[in-house]
Amino acid sequence: MPGLGLLVGALIATAAIAQEVLPFPPTPSASRAGLTMQDSTYQKRVEPRRLPDGAPNILIILMDDVGPATPSTYGGEINTPTLDRVAKAGISYNRFHSTAMCSPTRAALLTGRNHTNVGNGQIAAIANDFDGFSGVIPKSSATVAEVLKNYGYNTGAWGKWHNTPEEQITSKGPFDYWPTGYGFEYFYGFLAGEASQYEPTLTRNTSPVTDHKPKGYHLSDDIATDAIKWLREQNAYAPDKPFLMYWAPGASHGPHQVMKEWADKYKGKFDSGWDAYRERAFKNAKAKGWIPENAQLTPRPASMASWDSIPEAEKPFQRRLMEIFAGFTEHADYNAGRVIDEIERQGKLDNTLIFYIWGDNGSSSEGLNGTISEQLAQNGIPTTISQHLKALDELGGLPALGGPKTDNMYHAGWAWAGSTPYQGTKLMGSYFGGIRNPMAISWPIGIKADPTARPQFHHVIDVAPTIYELTKIKTPRVVNGFEQDPIDGVSMVYTFTDPNAKGTRTTQFFDIMASRGVYHEGWFASAPGPREPWVGGIPKGVKEWSPLTDKWELYNIDEDWSQANDLAARNPKKLEEMKALFIEESKKYKNLPIGGGLWSTALFHPEDAPAPTLTEWTFDAPITLMPESAAPKLGKVSSLVNMEVDVPKKANGVLYALAGFSGGITCYIKDGYLNYEFNLFEVQRTKLKSKEKLPQGKAMIEVESKLVDKIGGPMDVVMRVNGKVVGQTRVPAAMSLHFTSNATFDIGTDLDSPVSLDYYDQAPFAFNGSIGKTKITYLKK
């Protein structure tokens, strides 16, 4: 039997191997053979160390929607002691740049690649199918967290993420493009572009957070407290491992919300208005040496209101909005300081590399003329200040601003002032007001403190290669099995010791929704694009816009710090060279078609914005906390909601609710009457109430909503009970994009901020009967 010989041979070989590597503990037979522990060759496995000794801890702080002239550190009037602390301990950069928008900057920062090169030419909520605007960071462009984790770092992220496809933000994933899928071992924050600071929809790793928010809760406090807890656990469990922390608060993105005592610190400080603020900030920045003496203050755009043009009756509203923004911003900086305090308490601050980036873009002018509900701008809905003030009176007047009942955001004039001395604001890739953001770096054992501002032209894509150089990590060719795309950024380490070193970034392109520009060796050419972000509604003639007819400008920024002097007419040859370079860069980095980021906006094709592919949903039982981005678009498209309901005696409670107090839809029973409300961003509430109470017992409730003509236009709503019409009305204007970025859809309760004032004090106003099957269907035209 030849097979038997092979078996015997295998057994003999196995025995020989067993004698070379003694089992632990030694078996009785091994002891009888004369072997002891002292004779064994047992050796504990040692994991190879892939990092150099003393590899630094890394903390990246990324503030949101704050311009270069807001922090006191660099000449602004908002108190920023933590930014002061980092700047004084290290160095600062006064020609550091972002992309002019949230998701694009974050994707570029984390990967070291240009925003369109990693599919983030637009925010995730308005992504589309063009390669550069898909909203998906490819696995071939690994994040710095993925790389550092593989080299032995503990990694964590807190606060705003905004780099996951909208339709994938559910408890069922897929999770490949969540923070945990991009290298962060731990995540605590929100996946969308913004959140209520009092009632946010939060995620821990991949699970929704359902904890009740205590009295006095604020999101910036929460993510600082959670980060401190993580630091303490990391120090207890793995003190020998370095860490990477990405701490990105929702502040100071809209809604601007903070406790009254923080806003009151700024009472009266902005009474003179945004024009005067701009003059003061300009003077302060020069006095601090932050901008050169020959820098010029650019004029206010003709389309933006002056402070003097604001009616006196409206000025208290406009002042309070800025006071709240200032308090909100200082509060976030304070909480960043709490995280740094903990690192210092642990004795790790000397070897912690801190990047404090003051803004993922310039200050945001999306508040337009001042607003109590900032999503109006994203939905392209024009309003008047009188509408806002009237709605605000119902909510409690000026004291309600900054609280849970408003999603307020300041006048665009304040955003423009926060971008002093530059033209433009957030959403403008053409002007430094949208793309130039201060950055401070400290690393006590590696960087000597130096107050001299670094003037080298750099960009957020340069942070990742800087980290790789300092950790001695060669740019990986393969990460997690994926061959890697080239890094677009360059290291900034050469600037650490020499403020006068020649800059190594010679070219950089910018483009956000066709507001675009290109830098090359001291020159900057730009085209503002088809709209000014502080002008609400649909710009006149935008449907006929073409990038081929845009007017370009040309600046010599080595001589003209603030883009004050357009040289296009004097140097047409140079302008043509720069325009050709912009097209070259766009081809290289997937920034085509020009204006591709505009496709799914309210200006052009809101019907193509990211949304579930389903057109019909069946819920066999009530569901809660379904993200609005993945839920039926009840306020946007024609739909029919059918609900099997068992109505009790004295019926009360929410049947279903979409989104929150700042805007949404709710259907509820109060004192036995069936009610429906379409809350159009607080400024307009369309209500419908049945004439009679619902009969006790089983009932089929239907709510039919039909667009009259187009998305964003009027919508007819009909309520039926057991086939009988019990109410109907017309909503004057529906929404075109979304109600919120971060709220939810609930059946049987309203767990988010309550949509309606009618049950605000009874929230979540759970239904006291029972709900069977709920079916939601989109209606065909």
Side-chain angles (χ1 to χ4, degrees), residues 484-769:
Q484 293 294 291
D485 301 320
I487 293 279
D488 300 329
V490 298
S491 172
M492 298 179 289
V493 172
Y494 73 97
T495 65
F496 287 5
T497 56
D498 186 1
N500 300 311
K502 185 178 179 181
T504 58
R505 171 157 296 291
T506 57
T507 304
Q508 181 61 44
F509 91 102
F510 302 84
D511 191 349
I512 290 296
M513 294 194 288
S515 180
R516 56 204 190 275
V518 63
Y519 164 78
H520 183 65
E521 295 182 348
W523 290 89
F524 197 97
S526 63
R531 67 170 189 156
E532 294 173 304
W534 50 84
V535 178
I538 308 298
K540 187 177 179 181
V542 73
K543 300 290 186 183
E544 290 74 45
W545 168 82
S546 168
L548 299 176
T549 57
D550 272 346
K551 181 179 180 292
W552 280 74
E553 300 164 5
L554 178 67
Y555 302 97
N556 181 342
I557 61 169
D558 282 348
E559 299 174 2
D560 176 15
W561 182 268
S562 57
Q563 296 173 296
N565 302 300
D566 180 8
L567 304 177
R570 280 185 264 171
N571 201 338
K573 182 180 178 182
K574 187 65 179 179
L575 178 61
E576 291 305 314
E577 289 176 8
M578 296 293 286
K579 288 167 67 175
L581 177 60
F582 176 80
I583 294 298
E584 270 182 52
E585 295 295 289
S586 292
K587 289 178 181 177
K588 186 190 302 183
Y589 297 118
K590 304 177 186 175
N591 185 46
L592 294 174
I594 304 303
L598 288 164
W599 183 269
S600 300
T601 66
L603 302 183
F604 288 94
H605 297 283
E607 71 277 6
D608 288 338
T613 56
L614 297 174
T615 58
E616 186 176 295
W617 290 259
T618 299
F619 304 98
D620 292 321
I623 191 172
T624 59
L625 299 178
M626 184 180 190
E628 183 188 348
S629 59
K633 302 289 185 183
L634 297 182
K636 179 177 179 177
V637 302
S638 298
S639 63
L640 178 65
V641 180
N642 287 278
M643 304 187 77
E644 298 173 355
V645 178
D646 196 344
V647 181
K649 188 177 181 181
K650 296 183 180 179
N652 279 288
V654 171
L655 298 179
Y656 66 86
L658 175 66
F661 192 77
S662 61
I665 287 173
T666 181
C667 181
Y668 60 97
I669 301 173
K670 191 161 190 182
D671 299 327
Y673 291 92
L674 183 63
N675 292 265
Y676 170 93
E677 181 175 324
F678 192 115
N679 171 0
L680 188 70
F681 306 105
E682 301 193 65
V683 297
Q684 186 179 79
R685 296 175 184 269
T686 303
K687 299 182 180 183
L688 183 58
K689 182 180 179 180
S690 64
K691 293 179 181 179
E692 299 177 355
K693 289 186 177 183
L694 295 179
Q696 188 175 344
K698 294 188 182 300
M700 174 62 75
I701 293 176
E702 296 179 359
V703 179
E704 181 182 78
S705 307
K706 281 189 176 180
L707 286 172
V708 175
D709 46 23
K710 61 180 182 178
I711 289 176
M715 179 177 276
D716 288 334
V717 179
V718 179
M719 296 191 307
R720 299 185 185 92
V721 177
N722 297 327
K724 179 184 176 183
V725 174
V726 298
Q728 54 190 345
T729 189
R730 173 166 286 186
V731 175
M735 62 91 165
S736 59
L737 188 60
H738 52 218
F739 283 116
T740 69
S741 291
N742 196 45
T744 59
F745 175 66
D746 300 318
I747 294 176
T749 187
D750 188 353
L751 290 180
D752 219 290
S753 57
V755 174
S756 177
L757 270 171
D758 291 346
Y759 57 82
Y760 187 90
D761 294 329
Q762 298 163 275
F765 201 41
F767 181 51
N768 62 354

Side-chain angles (χ1 to χ4, degrees), residues 262-283:
W262 285 88
D264 285 351
K265 295 172 74 170
Y266 291 90
K267 266 200 166 180
K269 291 190 182 296
F270 308 117
D271 284 3
S272 56
W274 45 79
D275 294 288
Y277 181 101
R278 195 162 162 91
E279 295 281 351
R280 295 194 303 270
F282 181 59
K283 182 179 178 181

Side-chain angles (χ1 to χ4, degrees), residues 162-216:
H162 210 196
N163 285 122
T164 296
E166 288 269 301
E167 61 274 20
Q168 295 185 17
I169 300 177
T170 76
S171 61
K172 298 300 170 285
F175 303 117
D176 306 64
Y177 304 120
W178 287 43
T180 52
Y182 280 125
F184 288 104
E185 297 165 310
Y186 179 80
F187 170 68
Y188 180 66
F190 56 99
L191 295 166
E194 63 178 55
S196 164
Q197 298 297 305
Y198 302 115
E199 297 170 286
T201 300
L202 297 178
T203 297
R204 179 171 277 111
N205 299 321
T206 58
S207 299
V209 175
T210 57
D211 301 347
H212 175 72
K213 304 296 185 292
K215 186 177 181 180

Side-chain angles (χ1 to χ4, degrees), residues 60-289:
I60 299 173
I61 299 168
L62 180 64
M63 295 290 284
D64 198 341
D65 282 10
V66 286
T70 49
S72 56
T73 310
Y74 304 119
E77 297 185 354
I78 297 175
N79 190 32
T80 49
T82 303
L83 183 58
D84 285 352
R85 175 183 182 181
V86 176
K88 287 176 181 176
I91 55 179
S92 295
Y93 293 76
N94 60 3
R95 293 212 302 175
F96 184 77
H97 300 84
S98 65
T99 70
M101 204 179 202
C102 306
S103 298
T105 290
R106 291 158 199 272
L109 170 69
L110 292 173
T111 64
R113 281 93 169 178
N114 281 306
H115 60 309
T116 48
N117 210 19
V118 289
N120 274 258
Q122 175 57 285
I123 59 170
I126 323 177
N128 58 55
D129 282 344
F130 298 127
D131 289 346
F133 307 90
S134 66
V136 178
I137 300 173
K139 295 298 183 179
S140 56
S141 291
T143 70
V144 68
E146 289 178 275
V147 175
L148 264 58
K149 178 174 77 72
N150 290 344
Y151 271 83
Y153 272 77
N154 280 149
T155 59
W158 289 263
K160 177 173 171 175
W161 177 247
H162 210 196
N163 285 122
T164 296
E166 288 269 301
E167 61 274 20
Q168 295 185 17
I169 300 177
T170 76
S171 61
K172 298 300 170 285
F175 303 117
D176 306 64
Y177 304 120
W178 287 43
T180 52
Y182 280 125
F184 288 104
E185 297 165 310
Y186 179 80
F187 170 68
Y188 180 66
F190 56 99
L191 295 166
E194 63 178 55
S196 164
Q197 298 297 305
Y198 302 115
E199 297 170 286
T201 300
L202 297 178
T203 297
R204 179 171 277 111
N205 299 321
T206 58
S207 299
V209 175
T210 57
D211 301 347
H212 175 72
K213 304 296 185 292
K215 186 177 181 180
Y217 175 91
H218 193 280
L219 180 54
S220 296
D221 292 329
D222 187 15
I223 61 169
T225 298
D226 195 82
I228 290 168
K229 179 184 177 185
W230 184 88
L231 276 167
R232 291 174 179 171
E233 291 175 346
Q234 196 271 346
N235 193 45
Y237 303 150
D240 57 330
K241 293 183 71 171
F243 58 75
L244 165 69
M245 301 182 74
Y246 174 48
W247 196 82
S252 295
H253 195 289
H256 298 163
Q257 296 173 321
V258 76
M259 292 73 73
K260 183 176 181 293
E261 59 268 25
W262 285 88
D264 285 351
K265 295 172 74 170
Y266 291 90
K267 266 200 166 180
K269 291 190 182 296
F270 308 117
D271 284 3
S272 56
W274 45 79
D275 294 288
Y277 181 101
R278 195 162 162 91
E279 295 281 351
R280 295 194 303 270
F282 181 59
K283 182 179 178 181
N284 293 343
K286 282 192 174 182
K288 286 177 173 283

Side-chain angles (χ1 to χ4, degrees), residues 401-415:
L401 290 173
K405 286 187 176 181
T406 58
D407 264 25
N408 50 271
M409 198 168 174
Y410 58 15
H411 192 289
W414 293 119

